[in-house]
Amino acid sequence: MVGQSPLDPSESRTAVLLEPFVHQVGGHMSMMKYDEHTVCKPLVSQELSFYESLPLAMRQFTPQYKGIVSVHLKKDSLGNLTLIASPSLQTESCGRLDNAIGDSSVTIWHKCKWAASTGTGSEHALVKWSHTQLTKTFKDSCPGKMLLRTDLQYRTDSLLEDANRNQPERNSYNPWGLHCHRQHLNRMSSKHNENKLHQFLLLENVVSKYNYPCILDLKMGTRQHGDDASEEKKARHIKKCEQSTSASLGVRICGMQVYQADTGHFLCKDKYYGRKLSPEGFRQTLRQFLCNGNHLRTDLLEPIVLRLKALLSVIRKQSSFRFYSSSLLIIYEGQEHKENTAPLENHLHFQKTNCTPSHGTNHSRVDVRMIDFAHTTFKGSKCNHTTYDGPDHGYIFGLENLIKILQNLSEGK
């Protein structure tokens, strides 16, 4: 076990130890957990501009913006790296933080310890998760956190290692968020000293109400590069779109985790898996997202489609907005009510797509949220260089195809 390097008493009254957000299934920027109801991510001025100018009609489809917090990197004598947020510096005008600021000692949830791994020098590997006495265990606060695992689509080698290259918790977490977090810490530690303050956005944790959050991260639209992209980056993004379902369907899978009732684990897919899918592969993976290993969750189709149609109606009315490189999350609770659960003896292996349909009447909680607005542009944006007319037709094209595919699934096609 690695020894703790506790905060100074004076620091603990104002500091929050950030941890990787274990339910991050896509993206490349590290999401951090601030408290049970709040996540944070590095501030990008264009994304901040979007949240500050968010049209009222879109607010139900985006995470609640909670303000800005200052974060710095702390390194102890053993080389362990910790990200520490200082909420008292910049939260006066940022709205209510769900009691996160009131008693900051309660917001010191879990500490993620990183130590220099042997061989590379600048690389860092996860050593262990340690908990303060104030916090609930992962199992109590969110059972699904104990079950995150990966399949062969994504190798976890070297992601979860202690200093001796052991992997005692190899299948405990969705590897993608930890992968992003490790890269982010490496960048921060190599580019900046400990005294530098970094600005992070505080956002609603949209999966906090779920025990076993099943999450599909969809990259929306037929174009992914922002207006500020270099010619090289623009060409790279255009190629990715042409070689994936972004061009043909206006949407591609960027990440996924789905609870498997037959195995008691989450099935995880990453963006590299999503890029390789054909339109038919996309449809099958969408079906897999709604399959819990025992049966197809047909009870979810209607509420998801209704929510997507409501979003479509809103997007059609948003003139000048272009949501380049943004994602859409579809979320549902993986833990079914007993009356809607098929007999265990009927369960199938999670990689099969011919799940037996479940015809339960319970409409489990579902949610649809737009995220990632670092390249979103609109008329009046502080960061806007190009002004567009009318709605984002590439985004609308993707939504329409997504709705059509789900409706076909509902009809058994």
Side-chain angles (χ1 to χ4, degrees):
M1 290 182 62
V2 176
Q4 292 244 17
S5 55
L7 297 173
D8 297 330
S10 60
E11 190 177 37
S12 65
R13 287 195 297 271
T14 59
V16 177
L17 295 170
L18 301 180
E19 63 172 87
F21 181 53
V22 296
H23 293 303
Q24 179 177 355
V25 302
H28 67 276
M29 192 175 283
S30 178
M31 297 290 298
M32 306 297 296
K33 179 183 169 186
Y34 181 86
D35 66 27
E36 207 63 44
H37 302 285
T38 312
V39 295
C40 59
K41 62 187 293 192
L43 187 152
V44 175
S45 57
Q46 198 156 333
E47 184 163 36
L48 175 61
S49 177
F50 171 80
Y51 277 112
E52 289 179 335
S53 309
L54 186 63
L56 186 62
M58 291 186 64
R59 289 184 185 174
Q60 62 171 310
F61 296 106
T62 60
Q64 178 194 354
Y65 165 58
K66 297 187 174 189
I68 300 169
V69 69
S70 293
V71 173
H72 72 276
L73 190 69
K74 185 179 179 68
K75 183 185 291 187
D76 66 14
S77 59
L78 298 175
N80 296 318
L81 297 173
T82 309
L83 282 179
I84 299 174
S86 304
S88 60
L89 297 181
Q90 277 182 288
T91 52
E92 289 81 1
S93 61
C94 296
R96 185 173 60 86
L97 293 182
D98 293 310
N99 301 320
I101 307 304
D103 182 359
S104 59
S105 63
V106 180
T107 65
I108 303 176
W109 296 95
H110 313 284
K111 188 171 184 178
C112 185
K113 302 292 290 180
W114 297 73
S117 59
T118 57
T120 59
S122 62
E123 288 288 312
H124 297 84
L126 184 66
V127 176
K128 72 181 289 289
W129 289 83
S130 52
H131 311 273
T132 67
Q133 293 180 338
L134 292 170
T135 187
K136 298 177 180 180
T137 64
F138 271 136
K139 188 174 182 180
D140 291 337
S141 61
C142 178
K145 288 178 184 172
M146 295 299 292
L147 303 175
L148 288 168
R149 58 165 291 176
T150 183
D151 64 2
L152 295 178
Q153 302 298 338
Y154 188 79
R155 292 176 61 86
T156 58
D157 300 18
S158 80
L159 283 181
L160 291 170
E161 295 176 343
D162 63 17
N164 297 318
R165 298 287 184 173
N166 296 319
Q167 297 180 328
E169 301 180 65
R170 180 185 177 108
N171 287 330
S172 298
Y173 304 102
N174 186 324
W176 189 254
L178 296 177
H179 166 72
C180 293
H181 185 65
R182 182 180 67 171
Q183 288 191 325
H184 183 65
L185 276 186
N186 288 338
R187 287 194 297 267
M188 288 183 72
S189 61
S190 62
K191 291 182 181 179
H192 308 291
N193 61 39
E194 288 186 55
N195 297 323
K196 179 174 174 57
L197 284 178
H198 304 264
Q199 301 299 300
F200 276 50
L201 285 178
L202 289 165
L203 299 168
E204 174 191 2
N205 175 4
V206 297
V207 303
S208 62
K209 64 183 179 183
Y210 299 98
N211 290 320
Y212 297 84
C214 299
I215 308 166
L216 184 66
D217 185 322
L218 299 168
K219 188 73 76 172
M220 299 300 295
T222 52
R223 168 181 157 176
Q224 299 303 325
H225 62 276
D227 290 333
D228 58 344
S230 64
E231 287 302 314
E232 184 272 333
K233 187 174 183 179
K234 179 179 177 181
R236 193 170 69 245
H237 280 279
I238 290 173
K239 187 176 181 181
K240 284 179 189 174
C241 289
E242 289 174 345
Q243 294 178 342
S244 69
T245 55
S246 290
S248 55
L249 297 176
V251 54
R252 75 170 181 259
I253 289 168
C254 200
M256 180 176 91
Q257 70 178 41
V258 54
Y259 179 65
Q260 301 294 287
D262 60 339
T263 64
H265 290 288
F266 280 84
L267 168 67
C268 301
K269 305 285 188 183
D270 62 25
K271 67 179 182 181
Y272 300 109
Y273 172 86
R275 284 180 194 171
K276 295 182 291 187
L277 293 174
S278 64
E280 180 56 30
F282 178 90
R283 293 182 182 92
Q284 291 299 329
T285 305
L286 204 56
R287 181 186 177 92
Q288 188 177 43
F289 172 65
L290 297 168
C291 178
N292 69 359
N294 294 331
H295 52 258
L296 188 67
R297 294 288 304 276
T298 53
D299 60 303
L300 301 172
L301 287 164
E302 183 182 358
I304 290 175
V305 167
L306 286 174
R307 186 108 172 117
L308 289 172
K309 284 183 174 179
L311 173 60
L312 178 60
S313 177
V314 169
I315 296 297
R316 282 175 171 158
K317 297 171 185 174
Q318 303 307 314
S319 181
S320 85
F321 280 86
R322 293 297 180 270
F323 302 100
Y324 300 137
S325 199
S326 74
S327 285
L328 186 69
L329 299 182
I330 299 178
I331 310 160
Y332 70 88
E333 174 57 62
Q335 188 176 42
E336 289 184 274
H337 292 288
K338 290 180 180 179
E339 66 270 17
N340 195 38
T341 305
L344 288 176
E345 59 266 24
N346 291 334
H347 63 217
L348 301 171
H349 191 272
F350 60 70
Q351 285 186 315
K352 294 182 179 179
T353 57
N354 59 333
C355 291
T356 305
S358 164
H359 299 290
T361 57
N362 172 55
H363 279 196
S364 299
R365 288 177 302 173
V366 302
D367 204 354
V368 170
R369 300 289 186 108
M370 301 172 71
I371 60 167
D372 296 341
F373 304 103
H375 300 287
T376 293
T377 182
F378 56 95
K379 187 177 181 180
S381 168
K382 300 171 187 174
C383 314
N384 191 32
H385 302 292
T386 306
T387 302
Y388 298 91
D389 292 322
D392 188 333
H393 292 291
Y395 199 105
I396 290 170
F397 178 65
L399 271 179
E400 288 174 338
N401 281 319
L402 185 58
I403 291 168
K404 195 180 303 179
I405 292 168
L406 289 169
Q407 286 176 329
N408 286 341
L409 271 179
S410 181
E411 296 164 7
K413 295 180 182 178

